Amino acid sequence: MSVFWELVAVYSPSVVLGALFLVSFHREPRQFRNAIWLLLFVMTLSATLLMRFAQEWMVLPLLVVVALTPLTVIVFLSVNALVVIRHEGVSLATLLPALLALALSAYLVFYPVLFVLHAPRWLLGVGALIVCEGLWFFFTFAALLLYSWFYRILPRKRRYDYIIVHGAGLNADRPTPLLKGRLDKAVQLWNRQGRRGTIIVSGGQGADEVVSEAQAMRDYLVKDLGMACDSIMMEDRSTTTYENLRNCKRIIDARSVAAPGSAPAPGSGGVHPDPARIHIPE
């Protein structure tokens, strides 16, 4: 009996965190808190198993991996910046990952420099606060990476009635490589569910653009990928991501109200929209 209670005591933190993750995931799979619960569960279970099976020798390598997390994040952001710049060219938006990597590099040397320079106590306190905030950033970044991998490998049998594609800039009247990737992913999903559902291309016309992003995306889907026009809807008024979603919701709501209880328009997937059946390609 003592062995049973010993196991309960040892594994209870992992069980509690695992249960919190499962409940949160069941309620809403897209919540940020899911990533935190999952990483905490993995960390506690890993530590418990290592101690339980007398594998303490692996603790040091794991600590090294954790210590190198900031460096991993910086490398990840730098590589991401190079990939985006190669596809999209140099701009403030494409330089943001590199700028963040530079800021994180400065963060890593900031606090040690304060000690070397014998900074006043109040400045060391400010530095300690910044260090704590930085540690939370790296923790959440690692949690989101783990959860995004987990979320992607989950099997999905759901059929989406609407697939929303946000704009991401144009080259003249053509989608950029980044935007083409989104459109290709949307069509891949559309094909996988038997070419049922409607793709909504969303994006207005900027001051430096010859056509709206929605129009350019529609042309790409029809002319380059051979999609039928009646499977595509355009939202060409938005200028921000919030407006993308708000205007798309209005289009979907109006389409549902226009013919309640009747057969939906071609390409609608056969049912009226449910928020859980609307997909936005990443």
Side-chain angles (χ1 to χ4, degrees):
M1 195 65 174
S2 60
V3 175
F4 170 78
W5 289 112
E6 179 184 346
L7 291 175
V8 170
V10 169
Y11 287 100
S12 58
S14 301
V15 172
V16 170
L17 290 169
L20 287 172
F21 167 72
L22 291 175
V23 171
S24 179
F25 181 83
H26 176 72
R27 288 180 177 176
E28 176 49 71
R30 293 163 292 186
Q31 283 288 342
F32 168 73
R33 63 173 177 262
N34 297 342
I36 303 299
W37 293 132
L38 178 61
L39 181 57
L40 288 174
F41 166 72
V42 171
M43 291 173 61
T44 55
L45 182 61
S46 299
T48 301
L49 291 175
L50 288 177
M51 292 185 294
R52 179 68 183 170
F53 295 100
Q55 299 297 318
E56 290 85 355
W57 64 273
M58 291 188 63
V59 173
L60 182 59
L62 288 176
L63 290 176
V64 171
V65 171
V66 172
L68 290 177
T69 299
L71 180 60
T72 303
V73 173
I74 291 172
V75 172
F76 178 87
L77 291 171
S78 301
V79 172
N80 179 261
L82 291 175
V83 172
V84 174
I85 289 173
R86 186 180 64 185
H87 286 109
E88 304 293 324
V90 178
S91 66
L92 179 59
T94 58
L95 285 174
L96 284 179
L99 294 175
L100 180 57
L102 183 62
L104 293 176
S105 300
Y107 156 82
L108 292 178
V109 301
F110 171 71
Y111 203 57
V113 167
L114 291 181
F115 276 101
V116 172
L117 297 178
H118 302 288
R121 181 170 297 180
W122 68 268
L123 188 55
L124 290 175
V126 172
L129 179 61
I130 294 175
V131 167
C132 291
E133 292 175 347
L135 292 175
W136 173 249
F137 169 81
F138 289 120
F139 175 80
T140 55
F141 191 92
L144 287 173
L145 280 181
L146 174 64
Y147 186 67
S148 63
W149 170 80
F150 172 80
Y151 191 77
R152 285 174 179 271
I153 65 173
L154 289 176
R156 290 182 176 86
K157 296 182 180 180
R158 178 179 294 166
R159 178 173 56 81
Y160 300 100
D161 301 306
Y162 293 91
I163 303 170
I164 300 173
V165 184
H166 296 307
L170 302 177
N171 289 329
D173 61 346
R174 299 281 296 171
T176 60
L178 177 63
L179 186 50
K180 285 182 180 179
R182 293 183 183 180
L183 293 165
D184 293 343
K185 185 69 174 180
V187 173
Q188 179 184 357
L189 176 60
W190 182 70
N191 284 326
R192 193 163 65 233
Q193 60 182 27
R195 298 191 172 187
R196 302 181 68 183
T198 299
I199 293 181
I200 303 180
V201 289
S202 177
Q205 182 175 350
D208 58 343
E209 295 174 336
V210 296
V211 297
S212 68
E213 292 179 340
Q215 183 64 55
M217 288 190 281
R218 183 183 183 278
D219 291 343
Y220 175 76
L221 291 174
V222 174
K223 298 177 182 179
D224 293 51
L225 302 184
M227 276 195 66
C229 295
D230 62 356
S231 295
I232 306 169
M233 297 181 69
M234 288 202 308
E235 184 288 298
D236 58 1
R237 301 293 182 182
S238 58
T239 58
T240 65
T241 302
Y242 174 75
E243 290 180 359
N244 284 147
L245 295 172
R246 184 186 62 188
N247 295 345
C248 287
K249 184 178 185 302
R250 288 176 178 172
I251 291 174
I252 295 171
D253 289 344
R255 191 175 192 183
S256 300
V257 173
S262 62
S268 67
V271 295
H272 294 299
D274 183 302
R277 297 168 68 101
I278 301 172
H279 183 71
I280 302 176
E282 300 175 1

